[in-house]
Amino acid sequence: MSDKKIPYKIYLAENEIPKQWYNVRADMKNKPAPLLNPGTLKPMTAEELAPVFCEELVAQELNNDDAYIDIPEEIQNFYKMYRPAPLIRAYFLEKALDTPAKIYYKFEGNNTSGSHKLNSAIAQAYYAKKQGLKGVTTETGAGQWGTALSMACSYFDLDCKVYMVKVSYEQKPFRREVMRTYGASVTPSPSTHTAVGRKILEAHPGTSGSLGCAISEAVEVATTTDGYRYVLGSVLNQVLLHQSVIGLEAKAALEKYGVKPDIIIGCAGGGSNLGGLISPFMGEKLRGEADYRIIAVEPASCPSFTRGKFAYDFCDTGMVCPLAKMYTLGSGFIPSANHAGGLRYHGMSSTLSQLYHDGLMEATAVEQTSVFEAAEKFARVEGILPAPESSHAIKAAIDEALKCKETGEEKTILFGLTGTGYFDMVAYEKFNDGVMTDYIPSDSDLQKGFDGIPKFPGNEF
Amino acid sequence: MSDKKIPYKIYLAENEIPKQWYNVRADMKNKPAPLLNPGTLKPMTAEELAPVFCEELVAQELNNDDAYIDIPEEIQNFYKMYRPAPLIRAYFLEKALDTPAKIYYKFEGNNTSGSHKLNSAIAQAYYAKKQGLKGVTTETGAGQWGTALSMACSYFDLDCKVYMVKVSYEQKPFRREVMRTYGASVTPSPSTHTAVGRKILEAHPGTSGSLGCAISEAVEVATTTDGYRYVLGSVLNQVLLHQSVIGLEAKAALEKYGVKPDIIIGCAGGGSNLGGLISPFMGEKLRGEADYRIIAVEPASCPSFTRGKFAYDFCDTGMVCPLAKMYTLGSGFIPSANHAGGLRYHGMSSTLSQLYHDGLMEATAVEQTSVFEAAEKFARVEGILPAPESSHAIKAAIDEALKCKETGEEKTILFGLTGTGYFDMVAYEKFNDGVMTDYIPSDSDLQKGFDGIPKFPGNEF
C-alpha cells in the first residue's frame, strides 16, 4: 500500500480498543522464573501474596498459561476516556532526518497522568474495588505512576495513599498537586506514619528519601491496614499484561495499512512500557509466525540489561518484597543524582529478563545528554515535548533511522512514546542551560550493587 | 440517531480538517468597528499597520467581506501534527451530574502548547516567513501563547523573541523552558532591551511587570528591528479567523451524527477561543439558517462583557497600539493578583463585542472558587485536568446541565475546552489547600479603569 495513504495519525475506532489483554508468558517456552519467598526461597504461593496484592491480580501474576484475558467492561469503559491512543507516522521526523526509514510511534501521553501508566492503574484499582477494598497504597518517585493511580482510584471512589520520595515531594510539587486534585493523600517519604519510616528517619535524620524506602512504607501500610492492598506500576507480570493494550492497539493500527515493523524499540526502566508494546509482536516471534528486531533502551547510568546480572534479587531496597529473577544491578544500587529522567529502577521485569536472556531481544544503553538532544530534535519537528524516559526510545529510533540513511534501507521502525515531559522541565532547563552531564557507573560502582544481591544455591551470577 | 452510536470521542479524518477558515465578519450586518489611529482618530490603513504586522495578516485583519479564506498548504500540513482535535461526548460528566442534557466539548489541549493558541500561531508564523522576515516578537503572561508561537517559529525556522511578564518568568519557569526548548529567546519584562522597558524600570525599579508593559516592549522591538514584526495571540480579527478551525471541526463532527447544539459556551479573555468556536454557528445564526444560544463566560474579577463599557479604547496599557471599539474595563484596569487563571485582558475582540452589543450572544461572569470546583469535578470524571481558563466554560456548562436536570429538558450543550492545566498547578495547589479566594471589583474599582478610556466625539459611554 502506498505511503501516501497513511495518515499522520492512525486512530482505531472506539470499538477496536482491545477487549482482551495478551499474556506473552503463555507463548514463552522458557517461562519467567517465579517470585521466591525470601525466607524459604520457595516460589511464592497465591496465599502468600494475598496479604500484599489483590486476589485477582495475584492470579494474573501467577498465570503463565492463558494467552488472552478478558478486559472487564468497567475497565473497557474507562479506556474509552483516553484510548485508543494514536499511532503516529513520524513524517516530520523522517523528513528532518532525510532517512528512507519509515518511523511510527505509539503515543501514550495524551492523558492527564501523562503516560502509559494509566493502563495498569485503572486495572489494579478495578480489581481492588471488586474485592471490596477501601483503598490502595503505593510509592511514587517523580509522580507519573502516583498520578495515574490517583486518577484510577478517583474513578472507582477508592482511597489512594501515595508515598512520594521526599525530595520529589518538595522539589516537584506539580504532580503532587495533580494527585491531590484527584483526591489522593500524598505523604513525603520517609514519614513518621510507618515503623520503617521512623526507623530510617532515626538512622538518617536529614534524608531526602528513596524509591526503595517509599516502597517499604507503602507495603507496610497496605499489610497493616484493614481493607488495603499495595499496588505497583511496573516490573510485575500483571503490569505487563495490562500494558499489552499498547502493543495490541499499535499492531492493529499498523495492520489496517498492511505495515509490518522491522524494528521495535522501547525504553526500559522496570519494563512496563517495553513489555506492553512488544507483547503481541513477541508473541508472533515466539510462535514462529514473524520475526522482529526488538530493542530495549536503558540509561547508561542505570544499565540493568546491558551490565546487570541475571539473578534472584530483591525488588525493593528495604528487602521486604519477594525475590524476583531478573537482570539487576543489586537492590542497593541507586543511580547518580545527576540522572534526570526516570528509568532509575535497579532491576527489570522477570518476563523481559527471560526473553532477553533467551536472545529474543536486544538492549542498548544511551547517555543522558544524547537523549535530551534527541528529545529536543523530536519536540521541534513532531510537536510533542517528550518525557525523558520516552526520549531514550527516540534516541535509539533516530540512530536506527540514520543507519538506514547510510545503507539506503527502507526499514520500518516502531517505537513507544510513553509520555510527555511537561512535568520534567527542570531537567529540560538543565539541558537548555548546557549544564547537563553524563554519568556512567564504573565497574567498581556496579560491583557494590552486585555485592548486595543475595547468595544462595542456584543464584550464582 | 441513537445516542448509543455516538462514541466518546469523535475524530474527523485527516482529510476532513478544514481547508478554509471562516470569516464571520462577512456575514455580520453590523461590521466590527475599525481600528483607529490614536493620533488622527481615523481608521488605521493597511499602510499604517504594515510596520507592526505582517502584510497578509493586515489584509486578513481588514477583510470584512470574504466569508472563506484558503488555509495555505503549509499550514494545513502543520495542522496534521496535532489536528483534528477531538470532539468529546461528556458521557462521564453527564452521568455524574445525572442530567438529561447531552454535553459535548471540543478539546484543544492535546498539543505541547497545551491550548488552542497554536492554531493562530502557526498561521502568523507562516505569513511572517512568507514575507521573508527574520523573526517575530510577542508578549506572554503565563506562557500559553508564547509556547505556541515558539513551536510555530521553530517549525518555520524563524527567530522568536518573547517578552514574558517578569513575575511569570520567575515564578512559572516551566513554560519558559518549553519556549527555550523550541529555540525562542525569553526575556523578563520590563527589560533594559527597550526604551519603554528602561523608562518603566526607572519609574518603578522593583516592578514585577505587566502584560501591558510586555506588549509595549514587544511592539517596540518589532518596529525598530529590521526584518521583524509583532504578533498577538488574541483579540484581533485575524486571530478569530484562524481560530475558526475549532468551530468548523466541531460543527463537522456533530453533523456526522446529526447533532445540533442548543447552547454553545466558551470562555472569553480576549476572545480567541470563543470567537473561533462559535464562528460557523454564529454564521448560520446571522444568515437566519439556525438559532443557537451562545454564552461567553468571563471571570467575575475581570468582567469586560458583563460590566465593561462598549467604547474605543487602547489595546495595551502602554497606549502604543491602535484604538479598538470593544467592551472594555479601561486599559489601566489590572485584575486582582489573587485571580489565578488567565482571561485577565481588560478588553475584548471587536468582533465579539459587536455581536454581543447586537444581542446575538449572552455573557455571564463566574467566580474563581466555583470555577476550580467545576474544574476538579470535571478532572475527576472526564480524566482531563483543565486549564483554569477553560474551566470557566466548564462551570457554565455544568450550570446549564443542572438546569436541564431541574426542567427535564434534553438540551445539547457544546463547550470549548481550550487547554490543559498542567502548568497551572500553583493555582490548583491554592484550591487544594483551601486558600483560594474570590474577588469582585467594586463599582468604584471599575470606575478608575473607565476614567482612563479616551474621550473624544463619538466615544461616549
Side-chain angles (χ1 to χ4, degrees):
Chain A
M1 189 170 293
S2 154
D3 262 18
K4 289 285 170 213
K5 292 185 183 163
I6 298 177
Y8 283 71
K9 297 196 260 8
I10 308 174
Y11 280 102
L12 298 178
E14 189 169 284
N15 60 15
E16 293 172 312
I17 299 175
K19 292 174 183 63
Q20 295 185 309
W21 292 304
Y22 168 64
N23 179 9
V24 72
R25 286 167 284 154
D27 284 313
M28 288 169 70
K29 204 177 134 199
N30 300 326
K31 306 292 182 193
L35 295 169
L36 293 189
N37 180 318
T40 65
L41 299 181
K42 301 265 191 236
M44 292 287 286
T45 62
E47 292 68 34
E48 288 174 309
L49 289 167
V52 183
F53 298 116
C54 304
E55 287 160 22
E56 192 107 6
L57 292 168
V58 168
Q60 292 180 357
E61 190 65 28
L62 300 177
N63 184 340
N64 286 342
D65 302 317
D66 296 320
Y68 289 93
I69 291 175
D70 288 342
I71 303 176
E73 205 183 324
E74 290 88 338
I75 299 174
Q76 287 187 41
N77 276 342
F78 187 89
Y79 279 168
K80 289 175 191 165
M81 197 185 277
Y82 68 102
R83 307 199 69 81
L87 180 77
I88 302 179
R89 174 70 185 268
Y91 285 117
F92 294 107
L93 181 62
E94 290 170 20
K95 194 178 160 200
L97 298 174
D98 189 24
T99 173
K102 293 168 177 51
I103 309 174
Y104 295 83
Y105 54 96
K106 180 70 174 167
F107 180 39
E108 292 284 327
N110 268 352
N111 69 74
T112 289
S113 80
S115 81
H116 66 294
K117 295 281 182 183
L118 198 51
N119 300 330
S120 183
I122 191 61
Q124 297 194 45
Y126 167 77
Y127 291 117
K129 186 71 179 180
K130 197 180 160 202
Q131 194 173 326
L133 298 177
K134 289 181 203 156
V136 294
T137 71
T138 200
E139 78 292 334
T140 202
Q144 279 178 322
W145 166 246
T147 306
L149 190 68
S150 69
M151 292 177 70
C153 286
S154 167
Y155 185 72
F156 285 122
D157 201 19
L158 276 173
D159 185 38
C160 179
K161 296 184 194 298
V162 180
Y163 287 82
M164 187 171 188
V165 178
K166 188 183 268 175
V167 62
S168 294
Y169 182 93
E170 287 166 357
Q171 293 182 0
K172 298 181 178 176
F174 286 8
R175 275 225 179 84
R176 176 189 83 204
E177 292 306 322
V178 180
M179 290 184 253
R180 290 182 69 208
T181 302
Y182 281 91
S185 72
V186 187
T187 305
S189 168
S191 76
T192 55
H193 297 194
T194 63
V196 65
R198 288 188 294 271
K199 196 170 145 192
I200 291 169
L201 282 171
E202 205 175 348
H204 310 280
T207 180
S208 58
S210 73
L211 206 55
C213 168
I215 295 178
S216 304
E217 288 204 85
V219 171
E220 181 184 320
V221 172
T223 51
T224 59
T225 313
D226 197 37
Y228 280 76
R229 291 294 184 282
Y230 169 71
V231 295
L232 181 65
S234 191
V235 183
L236 298 174
N237 293 330
Q238 59 188 265
V239 176
L240 266 68
L241 175 71
H242 307 147
Q243 295 294 357
S244 68
V245 72
I246 304 173
L248 291 164
E249 274 190 9
K251 195 159 181 290
L254 287 170
E255 283 170 357
K256 268 188 191 280
Y257 292 88
V259 174
K260 257 187 128 55
D262 299 298
I263 306 173
I264 304 169
I265 298 171
C267 62
S272 68
N273 155 67
L274 180 71
L277 176 68
I278 68 173
S279 278
F281 301 98
M282 183 61 86
E284 286 189 315
K285 190 166 173 168
L286 289 163
R287 297 188 302 270
E289 297 162 10
D291 197 19
Y292 303 101
R293 220 183 124 205
I294 294 173
I295 307 173
V297 193
E298 59 186 14
S301 58
C302 190
S304 319
F305 269 137
T306 52
R307 296 175 70 196
K309 303 294 183 189
F310 187 48
Y312 265 109
D313 195 10
F314 288 98
C315 295
D316 63 323
T317 322
M319 303 188 183
V320 300
C321 294
L323 294 167
K325 184 147 186 194
M326 57 187 176
Y327 281 85
T328 178
L329 301 167
S331 63
F333 178 85
I334 294 176
S336 160
N338 93 340
H339 176 64
L343 311 178
R344 303 170 69 92
Y345 189 62
H346 69 276
M348 183 55 66
S349 146
S350 287
T351 300
L352 292 181
S353 293
Q354 188 64 49
L355 290 167
Y356 179 64
H357 188 69
D358 291 344
L360 290 153
M361 49 186 273
E362 308 165 27
T364 184
V366 292
E367 292 176 41
Q368 171 159 269
T369 49
S370 71
V371 166
F372 276 82
E373 280 162 15
E376 185 192 80
K377 181 186 281 282
F378 181 84
R380 290 189 180 187
V381 299
E382 287 287 322
I384 298 170
L385 188 87
E389 296 83 347
S390 325
S391 304
H392 288 72
I394 295 172
K395 163 66 179 158
I398 289 177
D399 286 350
E400 291 297 329
L402 291 176
K403 278 185 211 162
C404 287
K405 186 178 176 178
E406 276 177 34
T407 63
E409 289 174 290
E410 289 188 24
K411 286 188 180 165
T412 297
I413 299 168
L414 166 66
F415 72 89
L417 188 73
T418 56
T420 52
Y422 306 145
F423 293 92
D424 300 286
M425 294 319 296
V426 172
Y428 273 96
E429 184 175 10
K430 269 192 192 171
F431 178 73
N432 291 336
D433 288 343
V435 298
M436 179 169 274
T437 55
D438 288 320
Y439 167 75
I440 301 180
S442 68
D443 286 344
S444 67
D445 288 338
L446 291 185
Q447 191 56 48
K448 285 177 211 154
F450 297 151
D451 290 343
I453 299 174
K455 271 123 199 122
F456 54 86
N459 202 40
E460 288 78 21
F461 54 88
Chain B
M1 187 170 295
S2 152
D3 262 19
K4 290 286 172 215
K5 291 184 183 163
I6 298 177
Y8 284 71
K9 296 196 253 26
I10 308 175
Y11 279 103
L12 297 178
E14 190 169 284
N15 60 14
E16 294 172 311
I17 299 174
K19 292 174 184 61
Q20 295 185 309
W21 292 303
Y22 168 65
N23 179 10
V24 73
R25 285 168 285 154
D27 284 312
M28 288 170 69
K29 203 177 133 198
N30 300 326
K31 306 293 182 193
L35 295 170
L36 294 189
N37 180 318
T40 64
L41 299 181
K42 303 265 190 236
M44 292 287 286
T45 62
E47 291 68 33
E48 288 175 310
L49 289 166
V52 182
F53 298 116
C54 303
E55 287 160 24
E56 191 108 7
L57 292 168
V58 168
Q60 292 181 356
E61 190 65 29
L62 301 178
N63 185 340
N64 285 342
D65 302 316
D66 297 320
Y68 288 93
I69 292 175
D70 287 343
I71 303 176
E73 203 183 324
E74 290 87 338
I75 299 174
Q76 287 188 40
N77 276 342
F78 187 89
Y79 279 170
K80 289 176 191 165
M81 198 186 275
Y82 68 102
R83 306 199 70 82
L87 180 77
I88 303 179
R89 173 72 185 266
Y91 285 118
F92 293 108
L93 180 62
E94 291 170 19
K95 194 179 160 199
L97 297 175
D98 189 24
T99 174
K102 292 168 177 52
I103 309 174
Y104 295 83
Y105 54 96
K106 180 70 174 168
F107 180 38
E108 292 284 328
N110 268 352
N111 69 74
T112 288
S113 80
S115 81
H116 66 294
K117 295 282 183 181
L118 198 51
N119 300 329
S120 183
I122 191 63
Q124 298 194 44
Y126 167 77
Y127 291 117
K129 187 71 180 180
K130 197 180 160 202
Q131 194 174 325
L133 298 177
K134 288 181 202 156
V136 293
T137 71
T138 200
E139 78 293 335
T140 202
Q144 278 179 322
W145 166 247
T147 307
L149 189 67
S150 69
M151 291 176 70
C153 286
S154 168
Y155 185 72
F156 285 121
D157 201 19
L158 276 172
D159 185 38
C160 180
K161 296 185 194 298
V162 179
Y163 288 82
M164 186 171 187
V165 178
K166 189 184 267 177
V167 62
S168 295
Y169 182 93
E170 287 167 357
Q171 292 181 3
K172 298 181 179 177
F174 285 9
R175 273 224 181 84
R176 177 188 82 205
E177 291 306 322
V178 180
M179 289 183 255
R180 289 182 69 207
T181 302
Y182 280 92
S185 72
V186 188
T187 305
S189 167
S191 76
T192 55
H193 296 195
T194 64
V196 65
R198 288 187 295 270
K199 195 171 149 193
I200 291 169
L201 282 171
E202 204 174 350
H204 311 278
T207 180
S208 58
S210 73
L211 206 53
C213 167
I215 294 178
S216 304
E217 288 204 84
V219 171
E220 180 183 322
V221 172
T223 52
T224 58
T225 312
D226 195 38
Y228 281 76
R229 291 294 183 282
Y230 169 71
V231 295
L232 181 63
S234 192
V235 182
L236 298 174
N237 293 331
Q238 59 189 263
V239 176
L240 265 68
L241 175 72
H242 308 147
Q243 295 295 356
S244 68
V245 70
I246 304 173
L248 291 164
E249 275 190 9
K251 195 158 181 289
L254 286 170
E255 282 171 358
K256 268 188 190 282
Y257 292 89
V259 175
K260 257 185 129 55
D262 299 297
I263 307 172
I264 304 169
I265 298 171
C267 61
S272 67
N273 154 67
L274 180 71
L277 175 68
I278 68 172
S279 277
F281 300 99
M282 183 61 85
E284 286 189 315
K285 191 166 171 168
L286 289 163
R287 297 188 303 271
E289 297 164 8
D291 196 19
Y292 303 101
R293 219 183 124 207
I294 294 174
I295 308 173
V297 193
E298 59 187 14
S301 59
C302 190
S304 320
F305 270 137
T306 52
R307 296 176 70 196
K309 303 294 184 191
F310 187 48
Y312 265 110
D313 195 10
F314 288 98
C315 295
D316 63 321
T317 322
M319 304 188 184
V320 300
C321 294
L323 294 166
K325 184 148 188 194
M326 57 186 175
Y327 281 85
T328 178
L329 301 167
S331 65
F333 179 84
I334 294 175
S336 161
N338 93 340
H339 176 65
L343 311 179
R344 304 170 69 93
Y345 189 61
H346 70 276
M348 183 58 65
S349 146
S350 287
T351 300
L352 292 180
S353 292
Q354 188 63 49
L355 291 166
Y356 179 64
H357 188 69
D358 291 343
L360 289 154
M361 49 184 273
E362 307 166 28
T364 184
V366 292
E367 293 178 38
Q368 171 160 272
T369 50
S370 72
V371 165
F372 276 82
E373 280 162 16
E376 184 193 82
K377 182 188 280 284
F378 182 84
R380 290 189 181 186
V381 299
E382 287 288 322
I384 297 170
L385 188 87
E389 296 84 348
S390 326
S391 304
H392 288 71
I394 296 172
K395 163 67 179 157
I398 289 177
D399 286 350
E400 292 297 330
L402 291 176
K403 279 185 211 162
C404 288
K405 186 178 175 179
E406 276 176 32
T407 62
E409 289 174 290
E410 288 189 25
K411 287 190 179 162
T412 297
I413 299 168
L414 166 66
F415 72 89
L417 188 73
T418 56
T420 51
Y422 305 144
F423 292 93
D424 301 286
M425 295 319 298
V426 172
Y428 273 96
E429 183 175 9
K430 270 192 190 171
F431 177 74
N432 292 335
D433 287 343
V435 298
M436 180 170 273
T437 55
D438 288 320
Y439 166 75
I440 302 180
S442 68
D443 286 344
S444 67
D445 287 338
L446 291 186
Q447 192 55 50
K448 284 177 212 155
F450 297 151
D451 290 343
I453 299 175
K455 270 119 200 127
F456 54 86
N459 203 38
E460 287 78 21
F461 55 90

